[in-house]
């Protein structure tokens, strides 16, 4: 029987002043979507690096490899918000089932074309459905937390926990993809990514009991309004574009750097170090009872990110690059966590999955642009020139944040939000 979602006293109302991961994980029903959700998004961290390594092997060009990966990222960025909107309207399961099937088939087609030394335009054609069908499991998990916790102070802890989970996948994903591509065959990374996406996505889709209930017909106006109409979401999109430039710029530049020193296997280790810094700082952020307003925390954290990212291009040794990568990673987590936390106050529940996918898509779009530009810089300029991309992307995003930071302040709950996106209404779950 459907019932109005209320906050469980044992889960949220008794929340201590200092957030607790243990209390968060005791939320009723959490483990039923956390474990399959982790499995389902593991391949996401493998996709870009697998494409870069495969296409660079078959073409000999980082520019071509970055362009192929960029088409995938742009396609994902353009289609991810529509995937989130469809999930809000029709349910997550209805979107996931066909999506993982299309993604697996198109990823295998891209692999076959690359191995057959097909022209670059053919790789682009296959890359479009590969990116468009990337399952948006991370936003879907965050939306499920939103249903379970609603206005609980544990929402910030949940955002931190999800950032840590994301970064854990970015520790293991690149390592696994690089190991498969360099020790088995250059195609092994994409093949494994397609298989894991299919299996993990189907397991997550099977968890029907915790997915957000589809908004009823009586709330059609809220349901059909785009989350992008909220001014604060547009500012966050710019910030997440900058974060994507860090991911994309580092993936290409680290691959080029380790190739130039004759140690391609170190690529996964260096990127894993970067992701480990992200994960560790995410754990700390989720355990702190913050007093500063989230929009202020975002500006401060982003300034630290821009500062550390601006130093990457100066590194010329593995140890220095590993240390700087660790610092950059430690600065990314606070920005990501705070950005996702701000969505809870800025966007109504009926559009939240879409809002999360706009941010995820922004990261993918920033990553796509970064791998393209960084690949061209590595091919045409000096080794390490690709590290200029994270610097430029984060500095531009920081300037936008400073100019528009007032739009990140959530309006009072009893006001209509941004041209047709209404305030949060009670939802029903099974």
């Amino acid at each position: 029987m459907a019932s109005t979602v209320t906050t469980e006293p044992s889960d949220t109302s008794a929340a201590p002043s200092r957030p607790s991961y243990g209390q968060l994980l005791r939320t009723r029903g959490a483990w039923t979507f956390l474990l399959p959700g982790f499995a389902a998004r593991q391949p996401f961290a493998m996709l870009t690096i697998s494409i870069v390594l495969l296409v660079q092997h078959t073409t000999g060009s980082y520019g071509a490899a970055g362009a192929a990966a960029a088409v995938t990222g742009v396609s994902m960025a353009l289609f991810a918000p529509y995937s989130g909107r469809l999930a809000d309207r029709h349910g997550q399961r209805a979107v996931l089932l066909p999506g993982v099937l299309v993604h697996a088939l198109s990823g295998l087609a891209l692999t076959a074309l690359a191995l057959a030394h097909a022209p670059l335009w053919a790789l682009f054609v296959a890359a479009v459905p590969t990116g468009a069908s990337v399952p948006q499991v991370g936003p879907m998990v965050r939306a499920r937390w939103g249903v379970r916790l609603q206005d609980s102070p544990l929402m910030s802890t949940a955002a931190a926990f999800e950032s840590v989970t994301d970064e854990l996948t970015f520790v293991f994903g690149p390592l696994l993809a690089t190991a498969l591509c360099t020790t088995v065959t250059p195609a092994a990374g994409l093949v494994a990514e397609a298989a894991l996406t299919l299996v993990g996505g189907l397991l997550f889709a099977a968890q029907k009991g915790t997915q957000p209930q589809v908004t009823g017909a009586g709330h059609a106006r809220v349901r059909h309004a785009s989350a992008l109409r909220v001014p604060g979401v547009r500012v966050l999109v710019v910030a997440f574009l900058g974060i994507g430039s860090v991911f994309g710029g580092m993936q290409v530049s680290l691959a080029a750097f380790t190739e130039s020193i004759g140690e391609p296997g170190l690529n996964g280790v260096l990127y894993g170090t970067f992701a480990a810094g992200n994960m560790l700082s995410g754990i700390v952020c989720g355990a702190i009872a913050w007093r500063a307003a989230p929009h202020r925390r975002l500006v401060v954290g982003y300034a630290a990110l821009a500062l550390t990212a601006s130093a990457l291009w100066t590194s010329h040794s593995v140890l220095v690059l590993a240390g700087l990568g660790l610092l950059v990673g430690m600065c990314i987590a606070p920005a990501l966590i705070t950005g996702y936390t701000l969505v809870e106050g800025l966007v109504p529940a009926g559009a939240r999955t879409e809002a999360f996918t706009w941010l995820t898509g922004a990261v993918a779009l920033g990553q796509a642009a970064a791998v393209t530009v960084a690949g061209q810089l590595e091919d045409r300029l000096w080794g390490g020139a690709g590290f200029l991309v994270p610097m430029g992307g984060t500095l531009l995003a920081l300037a936008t944040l400073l100019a528009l930071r007032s739009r990140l302040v959530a309006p009072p709950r009893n006001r209509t939000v941004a041209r047709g996106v209404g305030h949060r209404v009670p939802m029903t779950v099974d």
Side-chain angles (χ1 to χ4, degrees):
M1 177 181 297
S3 59
T4 300
V5 174
T6 56
T7 304
E8 304 258 351
S10 60
D11 295 334
T12 58
S13 62
S17 58
R18 186 172 296 278
S20 164
Y21 284 111
Q23 184 182 18
L24 176 72
L25 296 177
R26 288 194 296 272
T27 301
R28 182 177 299 177
W31 286 104
T32 63
F33 62 84
L34 285 180
L35 291 179
F38 178 78
R41 60 181 153 185
Q42 182 65 41
F44 179 75
M46 302 171 61
L47 182 59
T48 299
I49 190 64
S50 295
I51 294 174
V52 167
L53 293 176
L54 173 60
V55 177
Q56 193 279 330
H57 173 79
T58 58
T59 65
S61 168
Y62 280 105
V71 172
T72 304
V74 170
S75 180
M76 187 193 113
L78 293 176
F79 282 89
Y82 296 100
S83 173
R85 192 179 303 178
L86 288 172
D88 284 328
R89 294 179 183 179
H90 305 292
Q92 296 181 358
R93 177 182 171 88
V95 174
L96 272 174
L97 291 179
V100 296
L101 292 173
V102 172
H103 183 76
L105 291 175
S106 56
L108 293 176
L110 176 59
T111 304
L113 288 169
L115 292 176
H117 298 279
L120 193 56
W121 66 263
L123 300 184
F124 291 167
V125 170
V128 170
T130 301
S133 58
V134 170
Q136 300 300 311
V137 177
M140 290 180 180
V141 171
R142 287 181 168 90
R144 295 187 186 214
W145 276 123
V147 170
R148 292 291 160 180
L149 299 177
Q150 294 208 8
D151 292 319
S152 166
L154 285 174
M155 275 304 303
S156 179
T157 306
F161 181 84
E162 287 306 306
S163 180
V164 171
T165 302
D166 283 339
E167 293 318 309
L168 189 59
T169 68
F170 276 97
V171 171
F172 293 117
L175 284 172
L176 176 59
T178 302
L180 290 172
C181 291
T182 56
T183 63
V184 180
T185 174
L190 265 182
V191 172
E193 190 274 340
L196 288 173
T197 297
L198 182 62
V199 175
L202 292 177
L203 287 174
F204 184 76
Q207 311 305 313
K208 298 183 291 184
T210 55
Q211 71 173 348
Q213 186 76 3
V214 178
T215 307
H219 304 298
R221 182 178 64 87
V222 174
R223 185 182 66 204
H224 289 282
S226 173
L228 199 60
R229 293 188 178 185
V230 179
V233 172
R234 297 197 291 270
V235 177
L236 290 175
V237 164
V238 175
F240 277 56
L241 281 169
I243 292 173
S245 75
V246 178
F247 287 123
M250 291 195 69
Q251 283 181 337
V252 171
S253 301
L254 288 176
F257 175 80
T258 54
E259 178 94 12
S260 69
I261 63 174
E263 296 288 347
L266 286 178
N267 179 33
V269 176
L270 288 174
Y271 198 84
T273 302
F274 158 71
N278 196 342
M279 180 179 66
L280 292 174
S281 64
I283 293 173
V284 174
C285 284
I288 295 175
W290 295 99
R291 294 184 179 180
H295 66 282
R296 294 195 180 99
R297 300 203 312 265
L298 180 61
V299 171
V300 173
Y302 215 97
L305 173 60
L307 178 64
T308 54
S310 297
L312 284 170
W313 70 276
T314 65
S315 58
H316 300 288
S317 71
V318 172
L319 288 179
V320 172
L321 192 53
L324 284 174
L326 182 69
L327 290 176
V328 172
M330 292 176 68
C331 294
I332 280 183
L336 282 173
I337 291 167
T338 309
Y340 282 122
T341 301
L342 282 165
V343 169
E344 171 68 15
L346 293 169
V347 182
R352 202 170 293 141
T353 303
E354 182 198 346
F356 287 136
T357 53
W358 274 113
L359 300 188
T360 304
V363 173
L365 185 58
Q367 180 174 312
V371 295
T372 303
V373 177
Q376 294 295 328
L377 292 177
E378 291 290 345
D379 281 346
R380 299 173 184 272
L381 301 180
W382 68 90
F387 287 121
L388 293 172
V389 174
M391 179 180 71
T394 53
L395 288 175
L396 289 173
L398 176 61
T400 302
L401 275 178
L402 289 172
L404 303 176
R405 60 188 181 276
S406 62
R407 299 187 180 184
L408 297 174
V409 179
R413 289 294 186 186
N414 60 350
R415 290 175 55 192
T416 299
V417 182
R419 296 192 304 172
V421 180
H423 64 276
R424 191 181 319 165
V425 295
M427 298 177 65
T428 58
V429 297
D430 294 332

